[in-house]
Amino acid sequence: MNKKAIIFTVAILILLVGASVIYFTMDRSSEAETANSSSMSNIEPESSNSQSAMPSDSQAENESQESKSETTSSEISSPEADALIRTFAEIGEPYTLHSRYYNQGEAKTEDAPGLGWDGDLELCVSDAEIKEYSESNIKYDNKSLWEFYASEFEDPCILHVELSLKNVDAENKNGVKYKFNANMFVLSAYEDLLPENQNNPEGYTTVGNYYSAYETYFDPHGPGDDYWSFELQPGETQNFTIEFLIDRVYLSQKDPFLAITPGREIFYGVMLRDLAK
């Protein structure tokens, strides 16, 4: 064999060996990547389930901050709300509801709240107590409606209120002269008196609307659409019963009270203290 043939043969062998080394190296690298990919696919679901089952430190911190925020908001106070609360009556205390009603164009002679009548009614809440929620304790005619509300509450119960109203010199200037409406009695709490909430009718839900059914039991009541209406002649006193379906959480709100108002702005109230005990 001549020298050129030997050199050619050696070159071919070197090429073959080099190709073999490259092939086996790439093959083993591919197997390693496949194995690693398979291993990762097996691990990921477990990791995902673990995150779902156990909240992260960040999630726990956020929940803690939300809870703290809720607690802090319940402790917010204002001089305006404090001053108004001090004028409210206690259970068993006679309380004058002074209102002025001005017809269009009539000159205002005093700065007094407009509750829907002109003159004075004297209110006395003689008793307020909590009754357990049960079908036998529901006096409101539409029991299914109260049952719906109760299903939405964490701990439904019934707030029973006994009160009397005396017409001192009040009269309606728009409608039946001595006809009044029990819709003026609504549940409320300190938070509703904060100026930022009073001035935010679209973005703020009142405590009473959040923790009680809108429909209440009222007795003696009128017929049909006049359910909430009653007549009270000057000098006459009438006893009434009102029952509210509430979530018991309402009682733990700061300074719960029975408000007397035809709208969101509150001027009069009777404190509902220590009913949660």
Side-chain angles (χ1 to χ4, degrees), residues 75 103 158 176:
E75 296 172 354
N103 288 315
I158 297 172
V176 180

Side-chain angles (χ1 to χ4, degrees), residues 3-234:
K3 187 176 180 179
K4 288 184 178 181
I6 293 172
I7 293 173
F8 179 78
T9 301
V10 171
I12 293 297
L13 290 173
I14 291 173
L15 289 174
L16 289 174
V17 170
S20 299
V21 170
I22 293 173
Y23 172 82
F24 284 111
T25 300
M26 294 180 61
D27 184 61
R28 294 190 65 177
S29 176
S30 176
E31 289 177 357
E33 289 178 1
T34 303
N36 184 53
S37 176
S38 176
S39 174
M40 291 299 293
S41 66
N42 291 333
I43 291 174
E44 285 177 357
E46 182 179 352
S47 174
S48 175
N49 290 337
S50 175
Q51 290 179 354
S52 299
M54 294 292 292
S56 66
D57 293 341
S58 177
Q59 288 174 322
E61 183 178 352
N62 289 338
E63 291 173 0
S64 175
Q65 289 296 328
E66 289 174 1
S67 177
K68 182 178 180 181
S69 176
E70 291 175 359
T71 302
T72 304
S73 67
S74 67
E75 296 172 354
I76 293 175
S77 63
S78 77
E80 296 89 344
D82 292 339
L84 185 56
I85 281 282
R86 287 194 289 270
T87 69
F88 289 173
E90 300 289 341
I91 294 175
E93 178 182 341
Y95 189 48
T96 299
L97 307 175
H98 179 65
S99 171
R100 291 306 307 269
Y101 181 91
Y102 297 98
N103 288 315
Q104 188 173 1
E106 186 178 357
K108 292 186 177 182
T109 58
E110 64 175 303
D111 185 18
L115 303 179
W117 68 84
D118 196 77
D120 292 351
L121 292 176
E122 186 179 272
L123 165 70
C124 182
V125 175
S126 58
D127 187 39
E129 62 177 325
I130 298 300
K131 294 183 176 182
E132 294 302 316
Y133 173 78
S134 66
E135 185 175 352
S136 61
N137 279 341
I138 299 177
K139 295 180 181 178
Y140 186 64
D141 291 339
N142 193 341
K143 288 189 176 184
S144 61
L145 186 59
W146 268 28
E147 289 170 354
F148 168 77
Y149 279 109
S151 68
E152 299 293 311
F153 290 159
E154 181 179 335
D155 186 6
C157 58
I158 297 172
L159 172 56
H160 176 92
V161 177
E162 298 281 348
L163 60 85
S164 65
L165 276 172
K166 178 182 178 180
N167 187 348
V168 179
D169 59 1
E171 64 178 58
N172 255 319
K173 289 186 175 181
N174 184 18
V176 180
K177 194 170 186 180
Y178 300 116
K179 190 173 184 179
F180 305 93
N181 199 304
N183 273 337
M184 62 181 167
F185 297 109
V186 297
L187 296 182
S188 192
Y190 184 95
E191 187 179 345
D192 295 336
L193 303 179
L194 298 175
E196 59 266 33
N197 294 334
Q198 290 260 319
N199 298 326
N200 186 19
E202 295 182 358
Y204 174 73
T205 300
T206 62
V207 172
N209 281 344
Y210 195 83
Y211 291 115
S212 71
Y214 178 78
E215 293 77 10
T216 60
Y217 171 77
F218 178 65
D219 185 67
H221 56 78
D225 293 339
D226 281 338
Y227 182 92
W228 307 103
S229 300
F230 61 93
E231 290 192 34
L232 199 61
Q233 300 293 319

